[in-house]
Amino acid sequence: MIRSVKGTHDILPDQTWRWRKIESSLHGFMQKYGYQEIRTPAFEKTELFSRGIGEETDIVSKEMYSWTDQGGEKLTLKPELTAPVVRSFIQHNLGSQSSTNRLYYMDTLFRRERPQKGRTRQFHQFGVEVFGSEHPEADAEVIAISYNFFKTLGIDNLTLTLNSIGSDDCRNNYRNELRNYLKPFLSDLTETSQNRFQNNPLRILDTKIEHEKEILKNAPEIGNFLTVDDKSHFEEVKSLLNGLSIPFSIQSQMVRGLDYYTRTTYEISSTALGAQDALCGGGRYDKLVETLGGKPTPAVGFAAGIERLLLALELKPTEFNFESIQIYIIGLTEKVRSNCQVIAQDLRNQGFSVSTDLLRRSLKSLLREANRNSVKVAIIIGDDELANDIVQVKDMETGEQTTVSKNKLTEHLTDLDF
RNA sequence: GUGGGAGUAGCUCAGGUGGUUAGAGUGCCUGGUUGUGGCCCAGGAGGUCGUGGGUUCAAGUCCCAUCUCUCACCCCA
């Protein structure tokens, strides 16, 4: 048997309606905020990600599905969406068409990680990116969108964690200070931390190793290195969130794994999930557009995992309802079967949802089938009915059956009002 | 990449210390009604016991290897 690839999953008919529910909720929600949808290709040039996300990140260094195509081009299945959206923003010069661009997306991503609860190799995210504003109102709007969307879906136990990692200057200074502080402890650090010491010392702050945490207790804090502008930006974001009644907590050690963030970073998690409890992560990235070759453009955005959202939602499936077929047409003999198809087609044209049998089964098994599919009415046609231009309409809930002449059928079904 | 747990019917799972034709519930099909579903009753189909090797008179059960799923670490959504 050929199975689906590790970390990929089929979404079967008993689940697809959940996905459609999320999808339609999102489109409706984003419209209220005046955001427009953007869709980018499934794969990009590898260079986009190595430059955009950062060569040293886990994603780029070990998780990408990359290959060289027949023309010798190095390509990669999207592991992340901000870089492609930024690429598209630059390529189509969206910045010159309006002063701010509010975009959202929903897409399929690929990362080669070890699967676990809330993590698969092919997965889905939705998110927003706002281009053109350096002001805290943009940060607050983006954060509010993610938080409020989860809220309206009814997810409880939301935790919003907020931090500012400052502008470029601030981080350069801080990086140097952190290196100076850590240098005497270098031999005590794990191998990965020693590598990070070289490439990205901020990530050491994220360590889960006890004795490293101990070392870091007296390390300089990034908050103290924020410039005056960084600080006031952060303060304004916080007060805007307060004004919107969105609760948050500050976590100065929170460093995101992607290199492009500046100033605001945040994460929303839910206790309804397992170890992978982040529903959404995001922040500001004022340098990325420039890094990827565009005009300097401030931007802020987030991405949220749809699988994780579904997991968090799984606990309360009551609001969702499966839509069943309304009418099942049963033909009793070979003579009437072609007639059944015609009637089905007519009724569909009238707007009903109609199904027929494909296995030439008996009346008994067809009623059973109709029952299983919880259809509202069964229409039964035998030779007698055919000869007299009538049909039997059976209400599957009450069991009541009435003889209806064929030309009154639509009228009769409409009156039933199901 | 590292560690824990698990692989027996479509699904959920039983199968002390090896012992005849491997079970249950549920789902599926048929019948109990010449053309009437649900409930009930009866019957039926459905299994390379994850795979390969080994020990043994005998392996679902013991040993080794391997694959897959799953949870966790790392990291992320």
Side-chain angles (χ1 to χ4, degrees):
Chain A
M1 180 177 58
I2 300 177
R3 299 180 50 95
S4 58
V5 175
K6 183 201 276 285
T8 67
H9 294 285
D10 301 312
I11 302 168
L12 300 177
D14 65 341
Q15 288 294 319
T16 41
W17 61 273
R18 290 177 189 277
W19 284 79
R20 284 209 307 266
K21 182 84 187 174
I22 297 286
E23 286 157 14
S24 59
S25 301
L26 179 73
H27 291 305
F29 192 83
M30 292 318 301
Q31 211 201 333
K32 282 193 196 162
Y33 279 82
Y35 280 59
Q36 292 186 301
E37 189 185 6
I38 185 168
R39 304 190 187 194
T40 61
F43 53 94
E44 297 272 358
K45 291 184 181 164
T46 300
E47 185 193 2
L48 173 64
F49 302 115
S50 47
R51 267 172 58 192
I53 305 173
E55 203 82 58
E56 305 299 334
T57 58
D58 281 17
I59 292 177
V60 173
S61 63
K62 55 189 188 196
E63 294 173 1
M64 296 201 301
Y65 282 102
S66 300
W67 73 101
T68 306
D69 80 354
Q70 288 83 341
E73 211 156 17
K74 290 191 170 124
L75 303 173
T76 294
L77 251 30
K78 285 191 281 201
E80 192 262 349
L81 282 161
T82 300
V85 170
V86 169
R87 193 225 78 229
S88 179
F89 173 84
I90 297 167
Q91 179 175 335
H92 302 288
N93 219 348
L94 297 183
S96 68
Q97 293 172 32
S98 65
S99 45
T100 56
N101 278 267
R102 292 175 157 108
L103 304 172
Y104 79 98
Y105 55 73
M106 176 154 28
D107 214 332
T108 307
L109 307 185
F110 306 86
R111 289 182 202 170
R112 198 185 182 290
E113 300 181 86
R114 205 64 182 264
Q116 72 187 76
K117 191 180 177 72
R119 167 187 292 161
T120 51
R121 290 183 171 180
Q122 174 175 346
F123 62 105
H124 301 80
Q125 287 186 348
F126 66 86
V128 313
E129 314 288 356
V130 176
F131 294 97
S133 168
E134 61 179 346
H135 297 296
E137 288 85 349
D139 307 55
E141 178 170 297
V142 164
I143 294 170
I145 286 171
S146 53
Y147 185 85
N148 290 334
F149 184 61
F150 295 141
K151 263 284 188 254
T152 55
L153 288 176
I155 299 180
D156 299 325
N157 308 314
L158 291 176
T159 308
L160 168 54
T161 311
L162 192 67
N163 191 25
S164 174
I165 59 172
S167 55
D168 258 12
D169 290 346
C170 151
R171 263 209 325 293
N172 286 335
N173 291 337
Y174 179 64
R175 195 174 292 128
N176 290 334
E177 281 306 309
L178 189 60
R179 279 212 184 95
N180 288 339
Y181 171 80
L182 286 173
K183 205 168 259 170
F185 303 104
L186 202 51
S187 55
D188 295 335
L189 299 181
T190 56
E191 201 186 319
T192 48
S193 289
Q194 290 188 26
N195 285 333
R196 285 173 183 171
F197 183 85
Q198 290 300 325
N199 305 319
N200 194 348
L202 267 65
R203 296 256 319 267
I204 300 178
L205 296 175
D206 247 354
T207 185
K208 305 290 187 294
I209 316 276
E210 267 317 311
H211 79 268
E212 292 194 343
K213 282 186 182 169
E214 202 61 37
I215 292 170
L216 288 166
K217 262 190 180 152
N218 297 315
E221 283 195 28
I222 189 140
N224 300 329
F225 289 77
L226 296 181
T227 63
V228 177
D229 286 350
D230 289 341
K231 271 185 193 153
S232 68
H233 182 94
F234 194 32
E235 289 308 316
E236 284 188 68
V237 172
K238 286 192 270 190
S239 82
L240 285 164
L241 289 177
N242 283 330
L244 292 168
S245 308
I246 295 175
F248 58 87
S249 67
I250 308 295
Q251 188 72 255
S252 61
Q253 281 98 337
M254 188 181 67
V255 181
R256 316 236 79 243
L258 284 64
D259 282 356
Y260 51 63
Y261 287 110
T262 54
R263 290 189 167 167
T264 312
T265 62
Y266 80 103
E267 195 171 292
I268 296 176
S269 55
S270 164
T271 52
L273 298 172
Q276 306 304 321
D277 64 350
L279 277 173
C280 132
R284 179 166 279 285
Y285 50 95
D286 287 342
K287 294 290 174 194
L288 183 59
V289 176
E290 205 174 339
T291 305
L292 291 176
K295 273 185 280 190
T297 307
V300 52
F302 75 83
I306 299 180
E307 279 82 356
R308 288 183 189 177
L309 179 53
L310 250 14
L311 277 175
L313 233 38
E314 201 97 57
L315 301 169
K316 35 178 60 191
T318 43
E319 301 103 70
F320 302 116
N321 253 319
F322 182 74
E323 280 178 26
S324 57
I325 308 160
Q326 297 173 315
I327 301 168
Y328 199 65
I329 301 186
I330 297 172
L332 298 179
T333 65
E334 207 165 322
K335 243 162 95 185
V336 299
R337 271 185 202 112
S338 62
N339 204 251
C340 289
Q341 303 257 308
V342 174
I343 294 173
Q345 183 167 276
D346 284 349
L347 290 176
R348 289 183 192 118
N349 288 338
Q350 316 283 335
F352 296 103
S353 83
V354 188
S355 187
T356 59
D357 171 54
L358 298 175
L359 293 175
R360 304 187 171 183
R361 284 175 287 185
S362 68
L363 173 60
K364 185 177 188 157
S365 63
L366 290 175
L367 279 171
R368 203 175 281 154
E369 178 83 10
N371 190 56
R372 232 194 323 260
N373 294 325
S374 44
V375 308
K376 302 290 186 289
V377 303
I379 294 177
I380 303 165
I381 307 166
D383 289 345
D384 293 349
E385 285 78 8
L386 185 66
N388 296 310
D389 260 346
I390 54 172
V391 299
Q392 305 293 333
V393 177
K394 185 180 175 79
D395 183 318
M396 291 302 286
E397 241 164 77
T398 62
E400 210 174 304
Q401 184 168 314
T402 42
T403 306
V404 178
S405 83
K406 232 163 120 186
N407 54 23
K408 292 259 173 65
L409 180 57
T410 306
E411 196 183 328
H412 181 82
L413 291 171
T414 309
D415 286 348
L416 287 178
D417 192 33
F418 37 72

